[in-house]
Amino acid sequence: MTKTLIASAAPILIAFAAALTPAQAGERRFAFSYEADTAPAGTREFEQWITWKSDKGTNDDFNEFTFREEFEFGLTDRLQLGIYLADWKILRGTDDDGTSFKDFGFDLIYNLTDPTTDWIGSALYGEMLTGPEKFVLEGKLLLQKNIGKWMLVANTVIEAEWEGEDLEEQIGVWQNTFGVSYQINPSFTIGAEARHEVEFADWEEAGDHSFYAGPNFSYRHKNCFIVVSPLFQISNIADEPDFMTRTIFGFHF
């Protein structure tokens, strides 16, 4: 039933997007990777993120739904601000079933080079999150190249997390994401995404390297867009979900 509900949500969102008309939507094509382009000065956008993880090798009943509500603002033609009103999650099939608030925060993206006119596009990304017994700092290098109707992206991510009642637990995360997308027409693109991640307990002991890959779809209509990226685990780690998908619906206002 859960999978049916998630699968049915995408066409509903697309239909809703098609009904809205005011402005032109952005160029976001990926759900797990950021592009190096930033929003033009004075533009505003709302994004609703939904990430679903399921089916662990150690627990076939595991389901986690995480949600993010974000506002993005183009401060200048090179500097973009994102504000996360709330990150929250729903757990099912575990001993901790229920709904919980995770954190809130903001990010800044500064564009360095253009992905079309320069040999490669690049940007720097910084993020801060805080919540109950949690504090996170994250930095990313965003790379992008546009070649005709093709778009290639790569992100390198370093994340530092402090967790626990006194924030005594320290976790380091190194992550890499990759994406390729082809524009079939001005509204619709298809492609693929991949993600690699490894955690370091106390910034010393490395955990397992997880790898995910899968297709990517995006649809844009005037001021709205929707991106869907289902990823499948290809690293065979029992404690990690075998499947995850992220849907991002957004509109300019």
Side-chain angles (χ1 to χ4, degrees), residues 71-133:
F71 285 95
E72 293 184 352
F73 304 91
L75 301 182
T76 73
D77 286 339
R78 289 186 177 270
L79 183 63
Q80 175 181 307
L81 169 66
I83 298 176
Y84 309 138
L85 297 184
D87 292 343
W88 52 287
K89 69 178 180 181
I90 301 173
L91 278 176
R92 292 290 183 266
T94 75
D95 294 334
D96 299 320
D97 280 4
T99 302
S100 60
F101 169 74
K102 292 178 60 182
D103 49 51
F104 66 94
F106 70 93
D107 67 54
L108 287 169
I109 304 176
Y110 185 75
N111 174 262
L112 300 173
T113 53
D114 187 271
T116 301
T117 58
D118 295 314
W119 73 275
I120 193 168
S122 60
L124 297 177
Y125 173 107
E127 176 183 287
M128 185 186 76
L129 299 172
T130 186
E133 301 182 3

Side-chain angles (χ1 to χ4, degrees), residues 46-76:
F46 173 79
E47 292 184 356
Q48 175 66 64
W49 297 37
I50 305 172
T51 305
W52 173 36
K53 300 179 181 180
S54 68
D55 300 330
K56 288 185 177 182
T58 55
N59 181 2
D60 292 338
D61 296 325
F62 172 82
N63 282 281
E64 178 186 281
F65 301 89
T66 59
F67 303 86
R68 166 174 286 180
E69 291 79 38
E70 178 182 6
F71 285 95
E72 293 184 352
F73 304 91
L75 301 182
T76 73

